[in-house]
DNA sequence: TCGACTTTTTCGTGTTACGGTAAATAACGA
DNA sequence: TCGTTATTTACCGTAACACGAAAAAGTCGA
Protein backbone atom coordinates (compact mmCIF):
# COMPACT_ATOMS: atom_id res chain seq x y z
CA UNK A 1 0.00 0.00 0.00
CA UNK A 2 2.90 2.31 0.20
CA UNK A 3 5.86 0.84 -1.54
CA UNK A 4 6.83 4.35 -2.51
CA UNK A 5 7.02 5.37 1.10
CA UNK A 6 8.94 2.25 1.99
CA UNK A 7 11.49 3.23 -0.60
CA UNK A 8 11.65 6.75 0.73
CA UNK A 9 12.26 5.27 4.16
CA UNK A 10 15.06 3.19 2.75
CA UNK A 11 16.61 6.24 1.13
CA UNK A 12 16.75 8.11 4.42
CA UNK A 13 19.70 5.87 5.23
CA UNK A 14 21.77 6.95 2.29
CA UNK A 15 21.42 7.66 -1.43
CA UNK A 16 21.27 4.53 -3.50
CA UNK A 17 20.76 3.21 -6.98
CA UNK A 18 17.79 1.11 -7.89
CA UNK A 19 20.01 -1.90 -8.03
CA UNK A 20 21.32 -1.32 -4.55
CA UNK A 21 17.85 -0.60 -3.29
CA UNK A 22 16.60 -3.88 -4.64
CA UNK A 23 19.39 -5.61 -2.76
CA UNK A 24 19.17 -3.58 0.41
CA UNK A 25 15.44 -3.82 0.59
CA UNK A 26 15.84 -7.52 1.03
CA UNK A 27 18.08 -7.08 4.04
CA UNK A 28 16.02 -4.53 5.93
CA UNK A 29 12.47 -3.62 5.05
CA UNK A 30 12.42 -6.65 2.80
CA UNK A 31 12.27 -8.79 5.92
CA UNK A 32 8.62 -8.06 5.96
CA UNK A 33 8.03 -6.65 2.49
CA UNK A 34 8.95 -8.33 -0.75
CA UNK A 35 9.58 -6.24 -3.83
CA UNK A 36 11.46 -7.30 -6.92
CA UNK A 37 13.65 -5.00 -8.94
CA UNK A 38 11.03 -4.15 -11.53
CA UNK A 39 8.72 -2.89 -8.84
CA UNK A 40 11.49 -0.85 -7.31
CA UNK A 41 12.54 0.74 -10.58
CA UNK A 42 8.98 1.55 -11.52
CA UNK A 43 8.32 3.06 -8.15
CA UNK A 44 11.54 5.06 -8.34
CA UNK A 45 10.54 6.68 -11.62
CA UNK A 46 7.17 7.52 -10.15
CA UNK A 47 8.86 9.09 -7.15
CA UNK A 48 11.16 11.02 -9.45
CA UNK A 49 8.15 12.31 -11.38
CA UNK A 50 6.68 13.54 -8.13
CA UNK A 51 9.94 15.15 -7.19
CA UNK A 52 10.39 13.07 -4.09
CA UNK A 53 13.69 11.69 -5.21
CA UNK A 54 16.33 12.99 -7.51
CA UNK A 55 18.47 10.85 -9.74
CA UNK A 56 22.07 11.74 -10.47
CA UNK A 57 23.80 9.75 -13.14
CA UNK A 58 27.18 8.45 -12.16
CA UNK A 59 29.38 7.53 -15.04
CA UNK A 60 31.16 4.27 -14.49
CA UNK A 61 33.91 2.82 -16.55
CA UNK A 62 33.64 -0.89 -16.02
CA UNK A 63 29.90 -1.10 -15.73
CA UNK A 64 26.84 0.60 -17.15
CA UNK A 65 26.27 4.00 -15.67
CA UNK A 66 24.21 4.06 -12.59
CA UNK A 67 21.54 6.38 -11.31
CA UNK A 68 22.00 7.33 -7.70
CA UNK A 69 18.74 8.40 -6.16
CA UNK A 70 18.72 10.94 -3.38
CA UNK A 71 15.84 11.93 -1.21
CA UNK A 72 14.79 15.50 -1.97
CA UNK A 73 13.50 17.81 0.74
CA UNK A 74 10.07 17.27 -0.79
CA UNK A 75 10.49 13.54 -0.47
CA UNK A 76 11.57 13.89 3.11
CA UNK A 77 8.55 16.05 3.84
CA UNK A 78 6.26 13.60 2.08
CA UNK A 79 7.64 10.80 4.20
CA UNK A 80 7.11 12.74 7.39
CA UNK A 81 3.66 13.68 6.26
CA UNK A 82 2.80 10.10 5.44
CA UNK A 83 4.22 8.85 8.71
CA UNK A 84 2.09 11.30 10.63
CA UNK A 85 -1.11 9.67 9.48
CA UNK A 86 -2.60 6.79 11.41
CA UNK A 87 -1.61 3.43 10.06
CA UNK A 88 -4.04 0.67 9.31
CA UNK A 89 -3.29 -2.74 10.76
CA UNK A 90 -2.08 -5.15 8.14
CA UNK A 91 -4.02 -8.30 7.50
CA UNK A 92 -2.29 -11.64 7.74
CA UNK A 93 -3.76 -13.18 4.60
CA UNK A 94 -1.94 -16.47 4.69
CA UNK A 95 -2.88 -19.29 2.34
CA UNK A 96 -2.25 -21.79 5.08
CA UNK A 97 -4.99 -20.34 7.20
CA UNK A 98 -7.52 -20.65 4.41
CA UNK A 99 -6.56 -24.27 3.95
CA UNK A 100 -6.99 -24.94 7.61
CA UNK A 101 -10.33 -23.27 7.58
CA UNK A 102 -11.49 -25.78 5.00
CA UNK A 103 -9.61 -28.57 6.69
CA UNK A 104 -12.18 -31.27 6.12
CA UNK A 105 -12.51 -30.54 2.43
CA UNK A 106 -8.82 -30.88 1.85
CA UNK A 107 -6.17 -33.59 1.81
CA UNK A 108 -4.10 -33.45 4.93
CA UNK A 109 -0.99 -35.15 3.61
CA UNK A 110 0.18 -32.22 1.52
CA UNK A 111 -1.03 -29.89 4.23
CA UNK A 112 1.18 -31.61 6.71
CA UNK A 113 4.16 -31.34 4.37
CA UNK A 114 3.39 -27.72 3.89
CA UNK A 115 3.19 -27.09 7.60
CA UNK A 116 6.51 -28.78 8.16
CA UNK A 117 8.17 -26.74 5.45
CA UNK A 118 6.68 -23.60 6.88
CA UNK A 119 7.79 -24.48 10.37
CA UNK A 120 11.34 -24.83 9.17
CA UNK A 121 11.10 -21.63 7.24
CA UNK A 122 9.91 -19.65 10.22
CA UNK A 123 12.48 -21.24 12.47
CA UNK A 124 15.18 -20.28 10.04
CA UNK A 125 14.06 -16.73 9.95
CA UNK A 126 13.73 -16.60 13.70
CA UNK A 127 17.28 -17.73 14.23
CA UNK A 128 18.44 -15.36 11.52
CA UNK A 129 16.83 -12.44 13.29
CA UNK A 130 18.29 -13.58 16.54
CA UNK A 131 21.74 -13.69 15.03
CA UNK A 132 21.39 -10.20 13.64
CA UNK A 133 20.04 -8.93 16.92
CA UNK A 134 22.97 -10.35 18.82
CA UNK A 135 25.42 -8.89 16.38
CA UNK A 136 23.93 -5.43 15.96
CA UNK A 137 22.51 -4.92 19.42
CA UNK A 138 24.47 -7.10 21.82
CA UNK A 139 23.43 -4.99 24.79
CA UNK A 140 19.78 -5.17 23.85
CA UNK A 141 19.56 -1.46 23.43
CA UNK A 142 20.24 0.92 20.58
CA UNK A 143 21.20 4.47 19.83
CA UNK A 144 18.13 6.65 19.40
CA UNK A 145 18.51 6.64 15.65
CA UNK A 146 18.55 2.85 15.59
CA UNK A 147 15.74 2.25 18.03
CA UNK A 148 13.31 1.62 15.24
CA UNK A 149 15.50 -1.00 13.66
CA UNK A 150 15.90 -2.76 16.95
CA UNK A 151 12.15 -2.81 17.38
CA UNK A 152 11.72 -4.14 13.88
CA UNK A 153 14.02 -7.01 14.50
CA UNK A 154 12.35 -7.83 17.75
CA UNK A 155 8.99 -7.87 16.05
CA UNK A 156 10.36 -10.10 13.34
CA UNK A 157 11.84 -12.48 15.88
CA UNK A 158 8.68 -12.71 17.87
CA UNK A 159 6.53 -13.16 14.86
CA UNK A 160 8.61 -15.91 13.36
CA UNK A 161 9.00 -17.78 16.63
CA UNK A 162 5.30 -17.50 17.28
CA UNK A 163 4.36 -18.83 13.87
CA UNK A 164 6.91 -21.63 14.06
CA UNK A 165 5.55 -22.67 17.42
CA UNK A 166 2.05 -22.52 16.09
CA UNK A 167 3.01 -24.72 13.15
CA UNK A 168 4.26 -27.29 15.62
CA UNK A 169 1.00 -27.19 17.46
CA UNK A 170 -0.96 -27.42 14.24
CA UNK A 171 1.01 -30.49 13.23
CA UNK A 172 0.18 -32.14 16.51
CA UNK A 173 -3.47 -31.34 16.07
CA UNK A 174 -3.35 -32.72 12.54
CA UNK A 175 -1.90 -35.99 13.74
CA UNK A 176 -4.91 -36.45 15.93
CA UNK A 177 -7.16 -35.89 12.94
CA UNK A 178 -5.16 -37.90 10.44
CA UNK A 179 -6.45 -41.22 11.71
CA UNK A 180 -9.79 -40.72 10.07
CA UNK A 181 -8.18 -39.33 6.94
CA UNK A 182 -10.23 -39.27 3.80
CA UNK A 183 -7.47 -40.55 1.54
CA UNK A 184 -8.74 -40.20 -1.96
CA UNK A 185 -6.18 -39.69 -4.73
CA UNK A 186 -6.38 -36.23 -6.12
CA UNK A 187 -7.87 -35.74 -9.56
CA UNK A 188 -5.83 -33.71 -12.01
CA UNK A 189 -8.02 -34.43 -14.99
CA UNK A 190 -11.27 -33.03 -16.37
CA UNK A 191 -10.94 -29.39 -15.59
CA UNK A 192 -8.10 -27.05 -16.02
CA UNK A 193 -5.51 -25.97 -13.48
CA UNK A 194 -6.55 -22.43 -12.96
CA UNK A 195 -6.62 -20.46 -9.72
CA UNK B 1 -3.60 -13.96 -4.13
CA UNK B 2 -6.39 -16.43 -3.91
CA UNK B 3 -9.55 -14.67 -2.94
CA UNK B 4 -11.40 -17.09 -5.14
CA UNK B 5 -10.11 -20.02 -3.15
CA UNK B 6 -10.91 -18.29 0.10
CA UNK B 7 -14.48 -17.96 -1.08
CA UNK B 8 -14.58 -21.59 -2.10
CA UNK B 9 -13.33 -22.46 1.37
CA UNK B 10 -16.12 -20.38 2.86
CA UNK B 11 -18.68 -22.16 0.72
CA UNK B 12 -17.61 -25.56 1.98
CA UNK B 13 -19.52 -24.68 5.13
CA UNK B 14 -22.83 -24.16 3.45
CA UNK B 15 -24.30 -22.56 0.34
CA UNK B 16 -24.60 -18.84 0.64
CA UNK B 17 -25.53 -15.70 -1.20
CA UNK B 18 -22.98 -13.04 -1.99
CA UNK B 19 -24.52 -10.86 0.65
CA UNK B 20 -24.19 -13.53 3.31
CA UNK B 21 -20.67 -14.29 2.17
CA UNK B 22 -19.69 -10.69 2.54
CA UNK B 23 -21.01 -10.80 6.09
CA UNK B 24 -19.69 -14.23 6.99
CA UNK B 25 -16.29 -13.55 5.57
CA UNK B 26 -15.91 -10.88 8.16
CA UNK B 27 -16.57 -13.30 10.99
CA UNK B 28 -14.27 -16.11 9.89
CA UNK B 29 -11.72 -15.80 7.15
CA UNK B 30 -12.22 -12.06 7.33
CA UNK B 31 -10.35 -12.13 10.61
CA UNK B 32 -7.23 -12.19 8.55
CA UNK B 33 -8.49 -11.20 5.13
CA UNK B 34 -10.49 -8.14 4.28
CA UNK B 35 -12.74 -8.13 1.24
CA UNK B 36 -15.62 -5.80 0.56
CA UNK B 37 -18.85 -6.88 -1.04
CA UNK B 38 -17.94 -5.69 -4.52
CA UNK B 39 -14.87 -7.86 -4.50
CA UNK B 40 -16.89 -10.83 -3.35
CA UNK B 41 -19.56 -10.41 -5.99
CA UNK B 42 -17.03 -10.00 -8.76
CA UNK B 43 -15.11 -13.04 -7.61
CA UNK B 44 -18.30 -15.02 -7.38
CA UNK B 45 -19.19 -14.33 -11.00
CA UNK B 46 -15.70 -15.34 -12.03
CA UNK B 47 -16.06 -18.57 -10.08
CA UNK B 48 -19.41 -19.15 -11.72
CA UNK B 49 -17.85 -18.64 -15.15
CA UNK B 50 -15.28 -21.27 -14.30
CA UNK B 51 -17.98 -23.60 -13.09
CA UNK B 52 -16.62 -23.74 -9.57
CA UNK B 53 -19.82 -22.49 -8.05
CA UNK B 54 -23.42 -22.61 -9.18
CA UNK B 55 -25.97 -19.92 -8.49
CA UNK B 56 -29.61 -20.73 -7.86
CA UNK B 57 -32.04 -17.87 -7.73
CA UNK B 58 -34.34 -17.91 -4.76
CA UNK B 59 -37.46 -15.83 -5.12
CA UNK B 60 -38.24 -13.81 -2.03
CA UNK B 61 -41.33 -11.90 -1.24
CA UNK B 62 -40.27 -9.22 1.17
CA UNK B 63 -36.84 -8.61 -0.27
CA UNK B 64 -35.15 -8.69 -3.64
CA UNK B 65 -34.48 -12.17 -4.94
CA UNK B 66 -31.25 -13.68 -3.89
CA UNK B 67 -28.68 -15.87 -5.59
CA UNK B 68 -27.58 -18.78 -3.48
CA UNK B 69 -24.19 -20.04 -4.54
CA UNK B 70 -23.31 -23.69 -4.09
CA UNK B 71 -19.94 -25.31 -4.48
CA UNK B 72 -19.91 -27.58 -7.51
CA UNK B 73 -17.91 -30.81 -7.55
CA UNK B 74 -15.51 -28.99 -9.85
CA UNK B 75 -15.16 -26.22 -7.32
CA UNK B 76 -14.54 -28.70 -4.57
CA UNK B 77 -11.88 -30.41 -6.65
CA UNK B 78 -10.28 -27.09 -7.50
CA UNK B 79 -10.11 -26.24 -3.82
CA UNK B 80 -8.51 -29.55 -2.98
CA UNK B 81 -6.11 -29.14 -5.82
CA UNK B 82 -5.17 -25.66 -4.74
CA UNK B 83 -4.76 -26.73 -1.14
CA UNK B 84 -2.39 -29.49 -2.18
CA UNK B 85 0.18 -27.02 -3.46
CA UNK B 86 2.79 -25.59 -1.15
CA UNK B 87 1.85 -22.25 0.32
CA UNK B 88 4.10 -19.25 0.32
CA UNK B 89 4.60 -17.46 3.63
CA UNK B 90 2.75 -14.18 3.77
CA UNK B 91 4.69 -11.01 4.33
CA UNK B 92 3.78 -8.75 7.19
CA UNK B 93 3.88 -5.48 5.27
CA UNK B 94 2.81 -3.17 8.03
CA UNK B 95 3.01 0.60 7.65
CA UNK B 96 4.05 0.92 11.23
CA UNK B 97 7.19 -1.03 10.65
CA UNK B 98 8.24 1.20 7.81
CA UNK B 99 7.70 4.23 9.98
CA UNK B 100 9.82 2.73 12.71
CA UNK B 101 12.50 1.92 10.23
CA UNK B 102 12.75 5.58 9.38
CA UNK B 103 12.27 6.57 12.98
CA UNK B 104 14.70 9.46 13.00
CA UNK B 105 13.22 11.05 9.88
CA UNK B 106 9.75 11.09 11.32
CA UNK B 107 7.83 12.87 14.05
CA UNK B 108 7.37 10.66 17.02
CA UNK B 109 4.30 12.32 18.48
CA UNK B 110 1.89 10.99 15.89
CA UNK B 111 3.80 7.74 15.87
CA UNK B 112 3.21 7.35 19.54
CA UNK B 113 -0.48 8.03 19.10
CA UNK B 114 -0.57 5.51 16.34
CA UNK B 115 1.15 2.90 18.44
CA UNK B 116 -1.28 3.44 21.26
CA UNK B 117 -4.25 3.10 18.95
CA UNK B 118 -2.78 -0.01 17.46
CA UNK B 119 -2.09 -1.49 20.85
CA UNK B 120 -5.70 -1.05 21.80
CA UNK B 121 -6.81 -2.45 18.51
CA UNK B 122 -4.76 -5.59 18.88
CA UNK B 123 -5.80 -6.01 22.47
CA UNK B 124 -9.42 -5.76 21.45
CA UNK B 125 -9.00 -8.40 18.83
CA UNK B 126 -7.08 -10.63 21.18
CA UNK B 127 -9.81 -10.56 23.76
CA UNK B 128 -12.39 -11.04 21.05
CA UNK B 129 -10.63 -14.17 19.86
CA UNK B 130 -10.31 -15.37 23.40
CA UNK B 131 -14.00 -14.94 23.95
CA UNK B 132 -14.84 -16.86 20.81
CA UNK B 133 -12.40 -19.58 21.75
CA UNK B 134 -13.94 -19.97 25.16
CA UNK B 135 -17.39 -20.10 23.72
CA UNK B 136 -16.78 -22.40 20.78
CA UNK B 137 -14.09 -24.60 22.25
CA UNK B 138 -14.44 -24.54 26.02
CA UNK B 139 -12.53 -27.79 26.38
CA UNK B 140 -9.68 -26.56 24.26
CA UNK B 141 -10.24 -29.26 21.70
CA UNK B 142 -12.45 -29.60 18.67
CA UNK B 143 -14.19 -32.16 16.54
CA UNK B 144 -11.96 -33.21 13.63
CA UNK B 145 -13.94 -31.10 11.22
CA UNK B 146 -13.44 -28.02 13.38
CA UNK B 147 -9.78 -28.53 14.18
CA UNK B 148 -8.77 -26.04 11.52
CA UNK B 149 -11.01 -23.36 12.92
CA UNK B 150 -9.65 -23.89 16.37
CA UNK B 151 -6.12 -23.55 15.04
CA UNK B 152 -7.09 -20.40 13.21
CA UNK B 153 -8.42 -18.80 16.32
CA UNK B 154 -5.38 -19.76 18.29
CA UNK B 155 -3.16 -18.24 15.65
CA UNK B 156 -5.23 -15.09 15.69
CA UNK B 157 -5.07 -14.89 19.45
CA UNK B 158 -1.35 -15.37 19.57
CA UNK B 159 -0.70 -12.93 16.82
CA UNK B 160 -2.79 -10.19 18.29
CA UNK B 161 -1.41 -10.65 21.79
CA UNK B 162 2.10 -10.68 20.44
CA UNK B 163 1.65 -7.51 18.46
CA UNK B 164 -0.10 -5.76 21.34
CA UNK B 165 2.73 -6.67 23.64
CA UNK B 166 5.23 -5.48 21.09
CA UNK B 167 3.41 -2.16 20.78
CA UNK B 168 3.77 -1.72 24.50
CA UNK B 169 7.47 -2.37 24.28
CA UNK B 170 7.80 -0.02 21.34
CA UNK B 171 6.07 2.72 23.28
CA UNK B 172 8.51 2.27 26.13
CA UNK B 173 11.41 2.45 23.75
CA UNK B 174 9.95 5.57 22.17
CA UNK B 175 9.69 7.28 25.53
CA UNK B 176 13.40 6.84 25.97
CA UNK B 177 13.98 8.46 22.60
CA UNK B 178 11.39 11.20 22.92
CA UNK B 179 13.60 13.34 25.11
CA UNK B 180 15.73 14.37 22.18
CA UNK B 181 12.71 14.86 19.97
CA UNK B 182 13.08 16.96 16.88
CA UNK B 183 9.84 18.84 17.28
CA UNK B 184 9.33 20.79 14.11
CA UNK B 185 5.78 21.57 13.05
CA UNK B 186 4.83 19.63 9.96
CA UNK B 187 4.51 21.49 6.67
CA UNK B 188 1.36 20.88 4.72
CA UNK B 189 2.02 23.56 2.15
CA UNK B 190 4.06 23.82 -1.03
CA UNK B 191 3.57 20.41 -2.50
CA UNK B 192 0.50 18.33 -2.90
CA UNK B 193 -0.81 15.64 -0.62
CA UNK B 194 -0.18 12.60 -2.72
CA UNK B 195 1.06 9.21 -1.60
C1' DT C 1 -46.37 9.56 5.47
C1' DC C 2 -41.50 10.69 4.96
C1' DG C 3 -37.05 9.50 5.46
C1' DA C 4 -33.64 6.29 6.89
C1' DC C 5 -32.02 1.98 6.90
C1' DT C 6 -31.61 -3.11 5.37
C1' DT C 7 -31.26 -6.54 1.80
C1' DT C 8 -29.37 -7.82 -2.51
C1' DT C 9 -26.98 -7.37 -6.65
C1' DT C 10 -24.31 -4.95 -10.09
C1' DC C 11 -21.38 -1.59 -12.68
C1' DG C 12 -17.59 1.48 -13.38
C1' DT C 13 -12.97 3.46 -12.82
C1' DG C 14 -8.66 3.92 -11.12
C1' DT C 15 -4.39 2.64 -8.58
C1' DT C 16 -1.27 -0.49 -6.63
C1' DA C 17 0.86 -4.75 -6.30
C1' DC C 18 2.74 -8.77 -8.15
C1' DG C 19 4.50 -11.86 -11.72
C1' DG C 20 7.08 -13.13 -15.92
C1' DT C 21 9.76 -12.37 -19.96
C1' DA C 22 13.28 -9.98 -22.07
C1' DA C 23 16.49 -6.78 -23.79
C1' DA C 24 20.65 -3.36 -23.84
C1' DT C 25 25.27 -2.44 -22.13
C1' DA C 26 29.75 -3.53 -20.56
C1' DA C 27 33.11 -5.55 -17.91
C1' DC C 28 35.34 -9.78 -15.80
C1' DG C 29 36.57 -14.59 -15.43
C1' DA C 30 36.66 -19.50 -17.11
C1' DT D 1 33.45 -17.40 -26.45
C1' DC D 2 30.27 -18.20 -23.02
C1' DG D 3 28.48 -17.21 -18.74
C1' DT D 4 28.04 -14.21 -14.85
C1' DT D 5 27.59 -9.80 -12.44
C1' DA D 6 26.10 -5.09 -12.52
C1' DT D 7 22.51 -1.84 -14.14
C1' DT D 8 18.54 -0.10 -16.07
C1' DT D 9 14.36 -0.38 -18.71
C1' DA D 10 10.28 -2.09 -21.38
C1' DC D 11 5.95 -4.61 -21.92
C1' DC D 12 2.67 -8.00 -20.77
C1' DG D 13 -0.94 -9.58 -17.83
C1' DT D 14 -3.77 -10.52 -13.56
C1' DA D 15 -5.15 -9.80 -8.88
C1' DA D 16 -6.12 -6.92 -5.16
C1' DC D 17 -7.88 -2.78 -3.22
C1' DA D 18 -10.43 1.57 -2.93
C1' DC D 19 -14.03 4.51 -4.06
C1' DG D 20 -18.18 5.82 -5.72
C1' DA D 21 -22.78 4.87 -7.41
C1' DA D 22 -27.18 2.87 -8.29
C1' DA D 23 -31.10 0.03 -8.57
C1' DA D 24 -35.31 -2.22 -6.35
C1' DA D 25 -37.90 -3.90 -2.59
C1' DG D 26 -39.00 -3.99 1.94
C1' DT D 27 -39.10 -2.50 7.28
C1' DC D 28 -39.16 0.56 10.95
C1' DG D 29 -39.27 4.73 13.60
C1' DA D 30 -40.35 9.78 13.93
Amino acid sequence: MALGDAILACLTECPMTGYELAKTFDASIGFFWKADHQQIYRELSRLRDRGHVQGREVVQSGKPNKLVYTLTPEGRAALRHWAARPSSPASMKDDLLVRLYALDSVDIEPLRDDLMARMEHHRDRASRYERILNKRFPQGNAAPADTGKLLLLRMGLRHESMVAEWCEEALEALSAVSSRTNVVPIQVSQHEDNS
Side-chain angles (χ1 to χ4, degrees), chain A:
Chain A
M1 236 212 134
L3 179 57
D5 296 288
I7 289 179
L8 292 183
C10 241
L11 286 177
T12 58
E13 295 290 298
C14 62
M16 288 168 123
T17 71
Y19 192 80
E20 286 166 328
L21 253 172
K23 300 254 166 194
T24 311
F25 213 71
D26 204 58
S28 56
I29 290 184
F31 281 155
F32 54 91
W33 193 321
K34 293 285 137 219
D36 56 25
H37 69 282
Q38 294 98 325
Q39 267 176 283
I40 304 248
Y41 280 115
R42 235 174 314 172
E43 201 58 39
L44 274 173
S45 8
R46 238 179 292 176
L47 288 172
R48 193 178 35 191
D49 293 346
R50 283 185 203 153
H52 290 175
V53 300
Q54 194 194 356
R56 279 176 303 107
E57 186 161 23
V58 172
V59 183
Q60 294 190 121
S61 52
K63 302 157 199 173
N65 297 342
K66 59 183 177 181
L67 262 165
V68 180
Y69 287 98
T70 313
L71 211 53
T72 62
E74 289 84 2
R76 200 168 279 275
L79 180 63
R80 279 183 68 203
H81 197 194
W82 169 76
R85 304 186 331 193
S87 69
S88 49
S91 49
M92 316 179 46
K93 202 149 72 146
D94 194 321
D95 285 6
L96 246 178
L97 300 179
V98 178
R99 283 156 209 209
L100 281 173
Y101 181 81
L103 184 58
D104 60 338
S105 304
V106 145
D107 301 311
I108 54 170
E109 291 313 320
L111 230 193
R112 190 200 312 280
D113 296 345
D114 201 20
L115 269 168
M116 286 199 287
R118 286 290 290 273
M119 186 172 61
E120 270 188 57
H121 171 261
H122 292 294
R123 279 184 181 158
D124 278 359
R125 289 188 83 92
S127 60
R128 189 169 161 203
Y129 290 153
E130 206 158 20
R131 220 177 323 116
I132 302 177
L133 268 169
N134 286 333
K135 192 154 68 175
R136 279 201 61 177
F137 307 103
Q139 317 299 329
N141 54 17
D146 285 340
T147 304
K149 276 137 203 149
L150 172 58
L151 286 169
L152 246 66
L153 281 165
R154 283 225 262 256
M155 165 64 108
L157 175 58
R158 284 196 195 179
H159 177 254
E160 302 295 345
S161 321
M162 187 274 284
V163 179
E165 200 182 313
W166 176 83
C167 285
E168 208 175 329
E169 191 181 308
L171 280 167
E172 279 173 34
L174 277 201
S175 310
V177 176
S178 61
S179 40
R180 54 106 234 174
T181 306
N182 48 342
V183 203
V184 184
I186 200 161
Q187 306 267 0
V188 194
S189 51
Q190 281 170 333
H191 23 266
E192 73 291 2
D193 187 305
N194 50 13
S195 96

